[in-house]
Amino acid sequence: MKNKFYLAFALAVLTVTLSFTLIQKKTTLYIIGDSTAANKDPKTYPETGWGMALQAFFKADVTVDNRALNGRSTKSFRAEKRWDPILAQLNPGDYVFIEFGHNDEKVDKPTVGVSLADFKTNLINYVKETRSKKALPVLLTPISRRSFKNGVLIDSHGDYPRITRQVADSLQVPLIDMLAKTESLLNRLGEEPSIKLFNHVDSGNVNYPNGKKDNTHLSPEGAKQVAGLVVKGIKELKLDLAKKLK
């Protein structure tokens, strides 16, 4: 009888230990950034952030916690205390994917836009603070706008992507060059076919009665393809996250 009791007790302890180990191995991938990645309200559909499509690429032991928000920059995301709760709950082994630039470049809007020097400082602070929690920062350059001129895709981000690359290089931070990847995708598709990746809506749509031609924000198809490019970058970098992909 005693042997059965001890066996049952040992099995119970083992079960609890294994369960605790599985819980401990759960990884959270935070996304901080702007509207190109952000979760969207139903009233803006079919506009879709690429962060909304990322979870589908991972197994159950990764949770994508998308904190990106419309209109935010490296400056306003912190000023509005959006970063503080993320930093407070970061665990060792978690990831923070940092993609800014679309709004930082709006220097005519002082609450949002920042100089290149301040942009660099802000990225460095996000990286160092993430590392202080033994979490893993990953820098992403901003995705390309669909800005064709005479059939040629034009880069609209100025030197902000260069600064992101520079910070990644100087601090040895993994970098996914989303500008390069999305430019390649848009050039491969061409000016007209690439429309399907963006929030172009005919008039009469319930959310856009007058229609919409938005060459910055993504469609559901665009979000899926851009999230796929993020996943491609994860694989290229050989991050541990790659082992948790489906």
Side-chain angles (χ1 to χ4, degrees):
M1 196 70 179
K2 279 186 176 181
N3 288 340
K4 287 184 179 179
F5 171 78
Y6 286 127
L7 178 60
F9 180 76
L11 287 172
V13 170
L14 181 61
T15 300
V16 170
T17 302
L18 287 173
S19 298
F20 182 74
T21 301
L22 288 172
I23 291 170
Q24 289 295 96
K25 287 184 178 179
K26 188 90 173 178
T27 300
T28 301
L29 189 169
Y30 294 93
I31 302 170
I32 64 172
D34 54 48
S35 57
T36 58
N39 293 336
K40 307 294 178 178
D41 293 328
K43 65 182 180 181
T44 65
Y45 184 84
E47 182 181 320
T48 309
W50 63 259
M52 299 171 70
L54 194 60
Q55 182 69 69
F57 289 89
F58 286 100
K59 298 173 186 175
D61 55 349
V62 172
T63 298
V64 175
D65 190 339
N66 186 11
R67 303 294 183 94
L69 286 165
N70 287 21
R72 270 58 176 197
S73 66
T74 56
K75 178 180 181 178
S76 62
F77 195 85
R78 183 184 292 274
E80 294 176 9
K81 307 298 182 185
R82 307 286 183 177
W83 173 238
D84 291 353
I86 300 171
L87 185 61
Q89 65 192 47
L90 270 180
N91 290 313
D94 285 343
Y95 285 80
V96 181
F97 278 35
I98 305 163
E99 186 199 39
F100 288 103
H102 272 87
N103 299 303
D104 295 81
E105 62 199 44
K106 298 174 182 177
V107 291
D108 57 322
K109 297 181 178 180
T111 61
V112 176
V114 295
S115 67
L116 291 171
D118 286 343
F119 182 64
K120 181 177 182 178
T121 298
N122 293 344
L123 289 179
I124 288 171
N125 288 337
Y126 283 122
V127 167
K128 288 185 173 179
E129 289 166 17
T130 297
R131 285 176 167 170
S132 75
K133 302 298 290 285
K134 293 183 169 52
L136 304 162
V138 178
L139 287 169
L140 290 77
T141 53
I143 69 170
S144 177
R145 296 183 177 95
R146 183 181 165 274
S147 51
F148 284 90
K149 185 174 182 180
N150 299 321
V152 177
L153 185 65
I154 306 299
D155 176 19
S156 62
H157 291 304
D159 280 332
Y160 290 84
R162 178 181 62 80
I163 295 297
T164 304
R165 297 181 190 113
Q166 189 180 92
V167 171
D169 182 62
S170 63
L171 296 183
Q172 297 296 292
V173 184
L175 171 76
I176 302 177
D177 197 336
M178 292 304 296
L179 179 59
K181 289 183 182 300
T182 51
E183 283 180 337
S184 177
L185 175 62
L186 295 180
N187 279 319
R188 188 166 66 251
L189 288 173
E191 185 171 1
E192 290 305 310
S194 63
I195 287 174
K196 68 181 180 181
L197 302 182
F198 290 83
N199 192 32
H200 280 231
V201 185
D202 293 333
S203 60
N205 181 281
V206 63
N207 288 330
Y208 304 95
N210 299 320
K212 183 83 170 180
K213 291 184 179 180
D214 182 346
N215 293 309
T216 296
H217 301 103
L218 302 166
S219 66
E221 174 63 20
K224 182 179 178 181
Q225 290 205 36
V226 171
L229 294 177
V230 174
V231 168
K232 183 179 179 183
I234 290 170
K235 292 177 179 176
E236 290 168 346
L237 290 168
K238 295 181 172 59
L239 301 177
D240 283 344
L241 267 180
K243 301 171 186 174
K244 301 174 184 289
L245 292 164
K246 291 180 180 177

